[in-house]
Amino acid sequence: MARKRIREDEEAAIDITPMMDIVFIMLIFFIVTTSFVKEAGIDVNKPEATQAQQKPTATIFIAIRENGEVWMDKRMVDIERVSANIERLRAESPTDTIILQADVGAKHGVVMEVMDQIKSADQSLVITIAGEKK
């Protein structure tokens, strides 16, 4: 009788180690494949465009307010410091696309100065101007 009881106890045990391994592997997979989107840090009233197209995502966003403030990485920066900030952000996560969001009332000269700073950081950078699609 004692032998039969021991066998029943052994067969009743369920090993959950393989299931836990699969759960952790799936968790790691979803964490790694999740894309993290960085924003410029402010809301910009973007102009509307009839020919707007979806562009590939970028990790560097620059926003220009109507009053001429330039925002990068959720903080206001001087126009002269834009290229240094781009170099720092590209060192953290390499990209060749920068999305520039300018307010409808932003001055053209400020936008051009920011674009010059972007090009001075690296001539191969692609500047995408973000606008609202009608």
Side-chain angles (χ1 to χ4, degrees), residues 11-26:
E11 291 175 7
I14 297 175
D15 188 16
I16 64 167
T17 305
M19 183 179 70
M20 293 301 293
D21 289 343
I22 291 172
V23 168
F24 285 126
I25 289 171
M26 288 176 53

PDB file of all heavy atoms in Angstrom, residues 11-26:
ATOM      1  N   GLU A  11       2.872  11.817  -9.204  1.00  0.00           N
ATOM      2  CA  GLU A  11       2.137  12.135 -10.427  1.00  0.00           C
ATOM      3  C   GLU A  11       1.273  13.376 -10.260  1.00  0.00           C
ATOM      4  O   GLU A  11       0.983  14.053 -11.228  1.00  0.00           O
ATOM      5  CB  GLU A  11       1.276  10.939 -10.830  1.00  0.00           C
ATOM      6  CG  GLU A  11       2.098   9.753 -11.294  1.00  0.00           C
ATOM      7  CD  GLU A  11       1.243   8.527 -11.568  1.00  0.00           C
ATOM      8  OE1 GLU A  11       0.009   8.639 -11.527  1.00  0.00           O
ATOM      9  OE2 GLU A  11       1.821   7.472 -11.813  1.00  0.00           O
ATOM     10  N   ALA A  12       0.895  13.721  -9.066  1.00  0.00           N
ATOM     11  CA  ALA A  12       0.019  14.865  -8.836  1.00  0.00           C
ATOM     12  C   ALA A  12       0.763  16.190  -8.902  1.00  0.00           C
ATOM     13  O   ALA A  12       0.153  17.229  -9.066  1.00  0.00           O
ATOM     14  CB  ALA A  12      -0.676  14.715  -7.495  1.00  0.00           C
ATOM     15  N   ALA A  13       2.075  16.206  -8.794  1.00  0.00           N
ATOM     16  CA  ALA A  13       2.843  17.447  -8.805  1.00  0.00           C
ATOM     17  C   ALA A  13       2.905  18.008 -10.228  1.00  0.00           C
ATOM     18  O   ALA A  13       3.137  17.294 -11.191  1.00  0.00           O
ATOM     19  CB  ALA A  13       4.243  17.193  -8.280  1.00  0.00           C
ATOM     20  N   ILE A  14       2.676  19.323 -10.350  1.00  0.00           N
ATOM     21  CA  ILE A  14       2.743  20.010 -11.651  1.00  0.00           C
ATOM     22  C   ILE A  14       3.924  20.969 -11.607  1.00  0.00           C
ATOM     23  O   ILE A  14       4.016  21.822 -10.718  1.00  0.00           O
ATOM     24  CB  ILE A  14       1.444  20.780 -11.927  1.00  0.00           C
ATOM     25  CG1 ILE A  14       0.275  19.812 -12.025  1.00  0.00           C
ATOM     26  CG2 ILE A  14       1.579  21.597 -13.207  1.00  0.00           C
ATOM     27  CD1 ILE A  14      -1.063  20.504 -12.181  1.00  0.00           C
ATOM     28  N   ASP A  15       4.792  20.834 -12.576  1.00  0.00           N
ATOM     29  CA  ASP A  15       5.974  21.691 -12.648  1.00  0.00           C
ATOM     30  C   ASP A  15       5.628  22.911 -13.514  1.00  0.00           C
ATOM     31  O   ASP A  15       5.339  22.784 -14.705  1.00  0.00           O
ATOM     32  CB  ASP A  15       7.144  20.919 -13.250  1.00  0.00           C
ATOM     33  CG  ASP A  15       8.435  21.694 -13.182  1.00  0.00           C
ATOM     34  OD1 ASP A  15       8.492  22.669 -12.407  1.00  0.00           O
ATOM     35  OD2 ASP A  15       9.378  21.326 -13.909  1.00  0.00           O
ATOM     36  N   ILE A  16       5.644  24.104 -12.927  1.00  0.00           N
ATOM     37  CA  ILE A  16       5.297  25.318 -13.668  1.00  0.00           C
ATOM     38  C   ILE A  16       6.537  26.081 -14.158  1.00  0.00           C
ATOM     39  O   ILE A  16       6.414  27.157 -14.730  1.00  0.00           O
ATOM     40  CB  ILE A  16       4.400  26.242 -12.826  1.00  0.00           C
ATOM     41  CG1 ILE A  16       5.125  26.737 -11.585  1.00  0.00           C
ATOM     42  CG2 ILE A  16       3.093  25.574 -12.481  1.00  0.00           C
ATOM     43  CD1 ILE A  16       4.407  27.869 -10.895  1.00  0.00           C
ATOM     44  N   THR A  17       7.696  25.522 -13.981  1.00  0.00           N
ATOM     45  CA  THR A  17       8.929  26.192 -14.406  1.00  0.00           C
ATOM     46  C   THR A  17       8.939  26.472 -15.908  1.00  0.00           C
ATOM     47  O   THR A  17       9.265  27.598 -16.311  1.00  0.00           O
ATOM     48  CB  THR A  17      10.159  25.360 -13.986  1.00  0.00           C
ATOM     49  OG1 THR A  17      10.101  25.128 -12.584  1.00  0.00           O
ATOM     50  CG2 THR A  17      11.440  26.087 -14.343  1.00  0.00           C
ATOM     51  N   PRO A  18       8.587  25.512 -16.775  1.00  0.00           N
ATOM     52  CA  PRO A  18       8.587  25.830 -18.210  1.00  0.00           C
ATOM     53  C   PRO A  18       7.589  26.940 -18.572  1.00  0.00           C
ATOM     54  O   PRO A  18       7.879  27.783 -19.421  1.00  0.00           O
ATOM     55  CB  PRO A  18       8.192  24.520 -18.875  1.00  0.00           C
ATOM     56  CG  PRO A  18       8.508  23.456 -17.893  1.00  0.00           C
ATOM     57  CD  PRO A  18       8.338  24.083 -16.554  1.00  0.00           C
ATOM     58  N   MET A  19       6.446  26.949 -17.914  1.00  0.00           N
ATOM     59  CA  MET A  19       5.468  27.996 -18.186  1.00  0.00           C
ATOM     60  C   MET A  19       6.011  29.361 -17.758  1.00  0.00           C
ATOM     61  O   MET A  19       5.848  30.355 -18.471  1.00  0.00           O
ATOM     62  CB  MET A  19       4.155  27.704 -17.449  1.00  0.00           C
ATOM     63  CG  MET A  19       3.071  28.727 -17.763  1.00  0.00           C
ATOM     64  SD  MET A  19       1.529  28.407 -16.936  1.00  0.00           S
ATOM     65  CE  MET A  19       1.947  28.779 -15.254  1.00  0.00           C
ATOM     66  N   MET A  20       6.684  29.428 -16.629  1.00  0.00           N
ATOM     67  CA  MET A  20       7.258  30.690 -16.170  1.00  0.00           C
ATOM     68  C   MET A  20       8.367  31.160 -17.119  1.00  0.00           C
ATOM     69  O   MET A  20       8.485  32.354 -17.393  1.00  0.00           O
ATOM     70  CB  MET A  20       7.809  30.542 -14.745  1.00  0.00           C
ATOM     71  CG  MET A  20       6.736  30.301 -13.691  1.00  0.00           C
ATOM     72  SD  MET A  20       5.524  31.613 -13.613  1.00  0.00           S
ATOM     73  CE  MET A  20       6.522  32.935 -13.003  1.00  0.00           C
ATOM     74  N   ASP A  21       9.153  30.216 -17.642  1.00  0.00           N
ATOM     75  CA  ASP A  21      10.182  30.572 -18.616  1.00  0.00           C
ATOM     76  C   ASP A  21       9.563  31.221 -19.848  1.00  0.00           C
ATOM     77  O   ASP A  21      10.052  32.235 -20.351  1.00  0.00           O
ATOM     78  CB  ASP A  21      10.989  29.338 -19.026  1.00  0.00           C
ATOM     79  CG  ASP A  21      11.903  28.844 -17.917  1.00  0.00           C
ATOM     80  OD1 ASP A  21      12.159  29.619 -16.975  1.00  0.00           O
ATOM     81  OD2 ASP A  21      12.350  27.681 -17.999  1.00  0.00           O
ATOM     82  N   ILE A  22       8.487  30.660 -20.345  1.00  0.00           N
ATOM     83  CA  ILE A  22       7.820  31.196 -21.531  1.00  0.00           C
ATOM     84  C   ILE A  22       7.242  32.575 -21.241  1.00  0.00           C
ATOM     85  O   ILE A  22       7.351  33.491 -22.055  1.00  0.00           O
ATOM     86  CB  ILE A  22       6.732  30.221 -22.024  1.00  0.00           C
ATOM     87  CG1 ILE A  22       7.397  28.964 -22.589  1.00  0.00           C
ATOM     88  CG2 ILE A  22       5.834  30.875 -23.066  1.00  0.00           C
ATOM     89  CD1 ILE A  22       6.437  27.860 -22.934  1.00  0.00           C
ATOM     90  N   VAL A  23       6.654  32.756 -20.077  1.00  0.00           N
ATOM     91  CA  VAL A  23       6.083  34.053 -19.713  1.00  0.00           C
ATOM     92  C   VAL A  23       7.179  35.112 -19.657  1.00  0.00           C
ATOM     93  O   VAL A  23       7.011  36.228 -20.168  1.00  0.00           O
ATOM     94  CB  VAL A  23       5.321  33.958 -18.370  1.00  0.00           C
ATOM     95  CG1 VAL A  23       4.983  35.342 -17.837  1.00  0.00           C
ATOM     96  CG2 VAL A  23       4.069  33.121 -18.528  1.00  0.00           C
ATOM     97  N   PHE A  24       8.306  34.810 -19.058  1.00  0.00           N
ATOM     98  CA  PHE A  24       9.393  35.779 -18.975  1.00  0.00           C
ATOM     99  C   PHE A  24       9.987  36.082 -20.348  1.00  0.00           C
ATOM    100  O   PHE A  24      10.342  37.222 -20.649  1.00  0.00           O
ATOM    101  CB  PHE A  24      10.482  35.312 -18.003  1.00  0.00           C
ATOM    102  CG  PHE A  24      10.087  35.458 -16.558  1.00  0.00           C
ATOM    103  CD1 PHE A  24      10.140  34.381 -15.696  1.00  0.00           C
ATOM    104  CD2 PHE A  24       9.647  36.678 -16.070  1.00  0.00           C
ATOM    105  CE1 PHE A  24       9.770  34.521 -14.367  1.00  0.00           C
ATOM    106  CE2 PHE A  24       9.274  36.828 -14.740  1.00  0.00           C
ATOM    107  CZ  PHE A  24       9.335  35.743 -13.887  1.00  0.00           C
ATOM    108  N   ILE A  25      10.100  35.075 -21.201  1.00  0.00           N
ATOM    109  CA  ILE A  25      10.612  35.299 -22.558  1.00  0.00           C
ATOM    110  C   ILE A  25       9.662  36.205 -23.330  1.00  0.00           C
ATOM    111  O   ILE A  25      10.089  37.124 -24.038  1.00  0.00           O
ATOM    112  CB  ILE A  25      10.839  33.961 -23.277  1.00  0.00           C
ATOM    113  CG1 ILE A  25      12.053  33.257 -22.660  1.00  0.00           C
ATOM    114  CG2 ILE A  25      11.044  34.174 -24.777  1.00  0.00           C
ATOM    115  CD1 ILE A  25      12.261  31.840 -23.136  1.00  0.00           C
ATOM    116  N   MET A  26       8.353  35.969 -23.200  1.00  0.00           N
ATOM    117  CA  MET A  26       7.376  36.831 -23.873  1.00  0.00           C
ATOM    118  C   MET A  26       7.438  38.257 -23.331  1.00  0.00           C
ATOM    119  O   MET A  26       7.354  39.226 -24.091  1.00  0.00           O
ATOM    120  CB  MET A  26       5.966  36.256 -23.717  1.00  0.00           C
ATOM    121  CG  MET A  26       5.734  35.009 -24.545  1.00  0.00           C
ATOM    122  SD  MET A  26       4.129  34.249 -24.286  1.00  0.00           S
ATOM    123  CE  MET A  26       3.010  35.572 -24.557  1.00  0.00           C
TER     124      MET A  26
END
